[in-house]
Amino acid sequence: MFIDEARTYVKAGDGGQGCESYYRDRYMRYPRPDGGNGGRGGNVVVIADRGIQTLLDLKYKQHYRALNGGHASSKGKSGKEGKDCVIRVPVGTILRDHATGLLICDLAVDQQSVIVAKGAPGGLGNAVRRRKIVTSPGIGEGRVLDVELKLIADVGIVGFPNAGKSTFVTAVSNVKSKIASYPFTTKQPILGIVCGEESDTERQKNFIIADLPGIIEGAHQGKGLGDRFLRHAERTKILLHMIDMAATDGRNPLDDYAKLEHELKQYSEQLAFKHKIVVANKMDLPEASGYLKRFKRKYTQDIIPISSIQREGLDRVIKVIRQKLCPECSLDQSSASSSK
Ligand SMILES: Nc1nc2c(ncn2[C@@H]2O[C@H](COP(=O)(O)OP(=O)(O)OP(=O)(O)O)[C@@H](O)[C@H]2O)c(=O)[nH]1
Ligand SMILES: [Mg+2]
């Protein structure tokens, strides 16, 4: 199950008790304080992990506690350090303090880590203090975290249900996204990697593409699956706007385009003004060419006709995406090829 929001309580370990004890042998006139220090409590650490796709674990396990530090003993023996509690989350997880709403960390890179609750120091024993008293141990930090996942992909595909988003992603990337002729087949975002050709420069070789659930008119009011999945398009560099140009579901593709633009704007202005590539899918069907002509007259000439099912025009889309993701790389390449 794909979960992209969770709330969880984290509690770091308390410090162990310091010890008050004295050593004395027959040759000593006064006893010597020799109580050890209490161990430090464990931290709660959150680590971003590429291998994890969802916040499911945090949804069901709502309390994470690190171990307390061990108590000290005589002969200067310190208590054991409390073991850290490690929480692994997907890359793209954002952590906020629930009480203040302040951002703690945006874990955008694999293996990036952050201490969200610090373990308390142990109490000092009387061997350190050289006095009778020992200090009391600290209490480990505890807080409620709001955890949110915003996937990090280079390209996010948006469009009405059945536009052919999953067919496209399956054709160009390494994932097999479920394809069917009923709406909302895709219920959660799916990430795929598009690999480059052998000849591509290293930098522009691979990019990540996100197949997002379909958006319908009124999604911002909760219609269909709502617009909450658009959060996963927020961090993409490019939006790929896919239109069913053959109107297979009986809607007018020109209206689809306007409605989708409106929904994006309702969600956020930032999303509406992202780099966009408009793609006309299902061009293998006879109705499509008429609609495409009208679309070009009404909106823009800048639209790429494709047929995902027949794998036609896909290379051109990938090429345009690469140009937008890394304009310098394509310049390098074109100058290299022209100098050959
Ligand atoms: N003729 C034709 N049919 C297509 C093309 N691309 C996709 N389809 C069909 O359109 C239907 C929907 O395809 P999907 O890829 O599941 O569409 P989607 O946009 O992912 O749909 P949701 O996940 O429901 O939002 C399937 O029956 C596909 O076979 C195309 O280029 N030509
Ligand atoms: Mg789909």
Side-chain angles (χ1 to χ4, degrees):
M1 201 196 310
F2 182 79
I3 301 286
D4 51 12
E5 270 178 332
R7 182 166 293 164
T8 192
Y9 175 73
V10 289
K11 168 79 175 66
D14 300 338
Q17 294 281 357
C19 173
E20 182 183 342
S21 74
Y22 298 90
Y23 174 77
R24 183 171 193 181
D25 62 29
R26 70 175 87 166
Y27 307 107
M28 292 169 77
R29 185 160 180 196
Y30 299 107
R32 173 166 53 81
D34 72 347
N37 301 329
R40 181 185 64 79
N43 301 318
V44 180
V45 187
V46 182
I47 302 180
D49 189 332
R50 265 260 168 260
I52 296 176
Q53 317 296 342
T54 156
L55 298 176
L56 190 67
D57 287 357
L58 278 88
K59 193 79 184 170
Y60 289 111
K61 185 174 174 201
Q62 292 175 348
H63 293 84
Y64 285 86
R65 286 172 193 278
L67 294 184
N68 294 338
H71 299 319
S73 52
S74 57
K75 296 185 188 165
K77 281 188 201 145
S78 296
K80 236 169 63 174
E81 288 208 340
K83 205 173 162 208
D84 288 351
C85 167
V86 176
I87 309 173
R88 295 194 173 268
V89 294
V91 176
T93 299
I94 297 168
L95 304 167
R96 284 201 172 78
D97 184 276
H98 175 66
T100 60
L102 291 178
L103 177 76
I104 300 169
C105 190
D106 180 357
L107 295 163
V109 182
D110 189 26
Q111 297 306 318
Q112 188 182 347
S113 67
V114 62
I115 295 176
V116 287
K118 212 159 185 259
L124 296 179
N126 64 344
V128 177
R129 306 270 299 174
R130 292 274 164 210
R131 278 201 256 144
K132 205 175 168 195
I133 43 165
V134 295
T135 62
S136 46
I139 305 286
E141 245 183 308
R143 55 168 34 164
V144 176
L145 299 180
D146 283 332
V147 188
E148 185 187 17
L149 171 61
K150 286 188 183 181
L151 293 178
I152 298 179
D154 298 300
V155 184
I157 308 188
V158 289
F160 269 68
N162 280 343
K165 302 179 292 298
S166 303
T167 312
F168 176 80
V169 168
T170 303
V172 300
S173 78
N174 64 339
V175 289
K176 298 261 168 293
S177 193
K178 189 175 173 190
I179 300 167
S181 55
Y182 56 85
F184 302 116
T185 314
T186 307
K187 290 197 171 54
Q188 62 193 49
I190 291 166
L191 295 186
I193 301 173
V194 181
C195 295
E197 298 290 316
E198 286 292 301
S199 57
D200 284 349
T201 60
E202 214 39 58
R203 252 193 310 169
Q204 66 181 140
K205 238 181 178 177
N206 301 345
F207 63 85
I208 300 175
I209 195 161
D211 179 14
L212 300 174
I215 296 285
I216 57 169
E217 186 182 14
H220 69 281
Q221 295 161 333
K223 292 209 177 136
L225 293 180
D227 65 354
R228 58 188 213 92
F229 289 108
L230 285 180
R231 85 173 57 171
H232 301 294
E234 271 182 282
R235 303 219 268 200
T236 60
K237 296 176 191 139
I238 298 173
L239 281 187
L240 194 150
H241 199 141
M242 184 157 292
I243 304 168
D244 171 1
M245 211 36 101
T248 43
D249 281 354
R251 294 182 315 266
N252 185 334
L254 281 71
D255 294 345
D256 277 7
Y257 180 74
K259 283 173 189 163
L260 192 52
E261 286 282 296
H262 178 70
E263 289 302 326
L264 294 180
K265 214 173 266 172
Q266 290 295 318
Y267 185 80
S268 92
E269 287 282 322
Q270 184 215 351
L271 208 60
F273 293 108
K274 235 180 221 304
H275 265 314
K276 206 175 300 159
I277 297 173
V278 188
V279 169
N281 194 25
K282 307 200 184 179
M283 290 308 295
D284 54 293
L285 297 176
E287 301 83 359
S289 50
Y291 279 118
L292 182 63
K293 267 188 209 142
R294 271 181 267 159
F295 185 94
K296 283 186 173 171
R297 269 202 302 273
K298 185 163 179 189
Y299 296 113
T300 171
Q301 293 286 327
D302 211 3
I303 178 165
I304 309 175
I306 63 166
S307 166
S308 297
I309 216 161
Q310 295 189 347
R311 303 192 171 215
E312 274 167 22
L314 307 190
D315 288 350
R316 192 166 152 221
V317 180
I318 300 299
K319 197 172 159 204
V320 173
I321 292 173
R322 287 222 169 92
Q323 272 166 1
K324 287 206 191 276
L325 284 178
C326 181
E328 323 88 66
C329 305
S330 16
L331 275 182
D332 288 353
Q333 234 190 12
S334 55
S335 57
S337 51
S338 61
S339 64
K340 268 182 201 167

